C-alpha cells in the first residue's frame, strides 16, 4: 500500500510539473508547442478553455491508441485528466506570472521546458503507462514501420498546421520548443540516470486480470 501511494504521488507530482511547465511556455506568449497550438485553436473554435481542449484531444487520442492495440495505464488516464485540469486552475486564476520583457518571456519558456522534462521523467518513471500522445507516436510507428523521428515530425507538423488554421498561436517560441525540448528531456533523463526502455509499466488490463484471479481464487 505504501509503495503504491508513493508511485501515485510520483505520478501526480510529475503531471503537476508538466502542467506548470506547459503554462509557463504559454505565458511566454512567443508561440506555443505544436500540440498546444492545436489545443488553443480548438478552444477558440469550440469556445472552451485550453485545459478542456487538452482533455478532449487526449480522450480521442486514447481511443485511437486503444484501437491501434496500445495498452492503456492509469498514468495515461491521469495524464488526460490532471494536466488539463491543472492548466485551467493555473491559467484561470493567474497563478503564474506573465512577462512583458522579451528576455523574461524566453526565460519563462526555457524554465517551462525544464519543468516539463522533469515532470516527464517523474510520470513515466512511475511505470503506470505513457501519455496519450506518446502512445499515438508508438502506435503509428508500429503501423507504418517508419522511424520515430519521421512519425513524431509528421504528428507535430500536422497538429501545428491544424491548430494554426483554427487560430492557435505559432511563432519563434514554437521554433525554440520544437528545436530544444528533445535536448531538455535527454539532459534531464541523463542527470537522473533514467532509461525509459527499462521502465516496467503496469497497465489497466494487468489490474483487471489480477482482480479476476483474486475473485476466482476466493471462489475456488
Amino acid at each position: 500500500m505504501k509503495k503504491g501511494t508513493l508511485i501515485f504521488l510520483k505520478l501526480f507530482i510529475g503531471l503537476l510539473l508538466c502542467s506548470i511547465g506547459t503554462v509557463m511556455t504559454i505565458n511566454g506568449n512567443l508561440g506555443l508547442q505544436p500540440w498546444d497550438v492545436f489545443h488553443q485553436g480548438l478552444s477558440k473554435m469550440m469556445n472552451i478553455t485550453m485545459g478542456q481542449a487538452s482533455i478532449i484531444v487526449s480522450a480521442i487520442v486514447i481511443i485511437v491508441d486503444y484501437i491501434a492495440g496500445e495498452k492503456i495505464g492509469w498514468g495515461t488516464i491521469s495524464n488526460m485528466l490532471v494536466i488539463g485540469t491543472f492548466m485551467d486552475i493555473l491559467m484561470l486564476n493567474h497563478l503564474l506570472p506573465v512577462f512583458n520583457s522579451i528576455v523574461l518571456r524566453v526565460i519563462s519558456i526555457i524554465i517551462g521546458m525544464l519543468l516539463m522534462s522533469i515532470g516527464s521523467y517523474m510520470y513515466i518513471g512511475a511505470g503506470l503507462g505513457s501519455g496519450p500522445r506518446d502512445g499515438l507516436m508508438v502506435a503509428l510507428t508500429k503501423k507504418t514501420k517508419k522511424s520515430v523521428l519521421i512519425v513524431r515530425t509528421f504528428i507535430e507538423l500536422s497538429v501545428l498546421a491544424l491548430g494554426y488554421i483554427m487560430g492557435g498561436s505559432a511563432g519563434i517560441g514554437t521554433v525554440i520548443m520544437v528545436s530544444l525540448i528533445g535536448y531538455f528531456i535527454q539532459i534531464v533523463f541523463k542527470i537522473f540516470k533514467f532509461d525509459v526502455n527499462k521502465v516496467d509499466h503496469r497497465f489497466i488490463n494487468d489490474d483487471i486480470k489480477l482482480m479476476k484471479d483474486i475473485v476466482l481464487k476466493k471462489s475456488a
Side-chain angles (χ1 to χ4, degrees), residues 32 37 45 51-52 66 92 106 132 136 144 158 161 197 200:
L32 308 176
V37 174
M45 180 174 286
Q52 291 169 339
Y66 183 75
L92 295 177
V106 171
L136 177 63
T144 63
S158 298
N197 296 314
D200 185 17

Side-chain angles (χ1 to χ4, degrees), residues 53-70:
S54 175
I55 291 172
I56 290 172
V57 171
S58 295
I60 294 172
V61 172
I62 286 175
I63 293 171
V64 173
D65 290 347
Y66 183 75
I67 293 173
E70 288 303 302

Side-chain angles (χ1 to χ4, degrees), residues 60-205:
I60 294 172
V61 172
I62 286 175
I63 293 171
V64 173
D65 290 347
Y66 183 75
I67 293 173
E70 288 303 302
K71 293 182 178 180
I72 308 301
W74 297 111
T76 312
I77 303 298
S78 298
N79 184 297
M80 173 187 71
L81 297 173
V82 174
I83 289 182
T85 301
F86 275 138
M87 281 176 61
D88 277 348
I89 291 173
L90 293 169
M91 294 177 70
L92 295 177
N93 293 286
H94 308 289
L95 297 179
L96 293 176
V98 178
F99 302 104
N100 293 319
S101 164
I102 186 71
V103 174
L104 292 178
R105 286 156 69 182
V106 171
I107 291 174
S108 179
I109 290 174
I110 291 173
I111 293 174
M113 287 192 291
L114 178 60
L115 291 176
M116 289 164 58
S117 300
I118 296 172
S120 295
Y121 151 69
M122 293 190 71
Y123 96 76
I124 294 174
L128 295 173
S130 60
R133 293 154 188 79
D134 290 333
L136 177 63
M137 180 182 67
V138 172
L140 288 180
T141 299
K142 290 178 180 177
K143 294 293 182 182
T144 63
K145 308 300 182 184
K146 301 295 184 181
S147 69
V148 171
L149 176 61
I150 292 175
V151 171
R152 177 164 184 157
T153 301
F154 171 76
I155 293 173
E156 302 247 323
L157 289 177
S158 298
V159 295
L160 174 60
L162 284 172
Y164 186 73
I165 291 170
M166 292 188 294
S169 301
I172 186 63
T174 307
V175 177
I176 291 172
M177 285 181 278
V178 169
S179 302
L180 297 182
I181 186 63
Y183 291 104
F184 272 80
I185 293 174
Q186 185 177 352
I187 290 169
V188 167
F189 282 14
K190 189 173 182 179
I191 289 172
F192 288 101
K193 298 179 181 178
F194 178 63
D195 185 351
V196 68
N197 296 314
K198 293 183 179 179
V199 179
D200 185 17
H201 285 285
R202 186 176 187 84
F203 299 102
I204 292 175
N205 61 320

